[in-house]
Amino acid sequence: MDRRCEQCPTPLPTMARRHARYCSARCRQVASRARRRAAAAALPRALVERDRWVRHSPTKVPLTTTGRPASSTDATTWSTYATAATSRVGAGLGLVLDGDGLVCLDLDHCLTPDGHARSWAQPLLDQLPATYIEVSPSGDGLHVWGYGDLAHGRRLVYGAGTVEVYGAGRYITVTHRPWHRAPSQLADLSAVLAELL
Ligand SMILES: [Zn+2]
C-alpha cells in the first residue's frame, strides 16, 4: 500500500518505520504547529488571555516552562499561554486560579471507560449553562470552567461521587480535550455553585 506524508503528498519510502507519519522534520513541525493552533482555537479566549500558565510533571507537580518548580501562589513562575503551550517541559499544561473570578469544578472519576457521564454526575452536568468542559488527563474526569465567587477550594459529596470546586491558590491541568460539544466560552456558574455549596 502506498503511504504518504500526512502533511504533503510525498510518498513515504517503503522502508519507512511503520508508525512514520511525515516525510521530513519540516512536515512534522508544520503539522504540530497546525495542531497547536487548532487546540488553542478550541480554548475560550478568557483562558488563553490569562498569563498564568504553568507546565506539570506526570505526577501533577507544577513546573515553569523551563522546568523549575512552579507555585500556584508565585506569579513569577507563570507564563503566557503561547510560551507554556510550546514548552516541552513535563507532561502537559495547567492554568493557575488566583481568585479573579475564574473557577473550575473538578468532577473526578465521573466518566465511564467509553466516555459517558456516570449517573451520579448527570444531574450536575444537565444543570450547567453553556460553558467550556474538558476531559482530565486521566481520561475519566471532567473540568468545568466558568465564573463564580470562590475564595476557598472545597471538596463536596455529590450523590455517589465527589466534586471539588476551586477559585484560587491552585492550578488546573488543561488537556485541549473538550468534552462532547463544549463551547469555546465561559458561563457564570454562580447558580450551580450556590446549589453545591
Ligand atoms: Zn511531507
Side-chain angles (χ1 to χ4, degrees):
M1 197 183 73
D2 194 25
R3 290 167 64 224
R4 285 173 186 277
C5 172
E6 290 180 19
Q7 186 61 38
C8 75
T10 306
L12 293 177
T14 346
M15 296 305 290
R17 283 181 302 118
R18 203 154 54 85
H19 299 295
R21 297 168 58 192
Y22 305 105
C23 67
S24 61
R26 181 174 155 69
C27 273
R28 188 165 57 243
Q29 268 166 29
V30 171
S32 123
R33 267 198 298 272
R35 267 197 306 277
R36 275 203 298 271
R37 266 198 305 275
L43 276 184
R45 293 302 313 165
L47 298 185
V48 174
E49 279 168 1
R50 284 172 158 83
D51 294 340
R52 305 200 301 257
W53 291 85
V54 293
R55 302 288 302 179
H56 66 79
S57 76
T59 55
K60 312 274 178 65
V61 176
L63 301 167
T64 68
T65 55
T66 55
R68 307 168 73 88
S71 161
S72 52
T73 53
D74 180 359
T76 65
T77 63
W78 310 338
S79 298
T80 62
Y81 173 80
T83 305
T86 49
S87 165
R88 289 172 174 244
V89 164
L93 273 173
L95 179 59
V96 173
L97 298 170
D98 77 343
D100 70 349
L102 183 67
V103 299
C104 186
L105 278 55
D106 184 6
L107 284 71
D108 246 352
H109 312 301
C110 71
L111 298 181
T112 61
D114 59 353
H116 291 102
R118 294 190 185 277
S119 54
W120 68 261
Q122 198 60 58
L124 177 56
L125 294 171
D126 289 344
Q127 208 187 329
L128 291 173
T131 201
Y132 186 65
I133 306 175
E134 268 198 348
V135 177
S136 66
S138 63
D140 73 347
L142 291 176
H143 292 160
V144 179
W145 290 91
Y147 298 113
D149 185 12
L150 259 182
H152 305 283
R154 296 273 298 272
R155 187 165 198 269
L156 308 155
V157 174
Y158 183 84
T162 55
V163 177
E164 291 167 22
V165 296
Y166 298 106
R170 166 102 190 187
Y171 93 90
I172 307 290
T173 56
V174 170
T175 59
H176 291 128
R177 292 168 64 190
W179 189 64
H180 287 187
R181 279 181 289 278
S184 302
Q185 66 181 39
L186 300 185
D188 183 357
L189 304 180
S190 302
V192 178
L193 287 170
E195 199 158 309
L196 277 173
L197 296 169

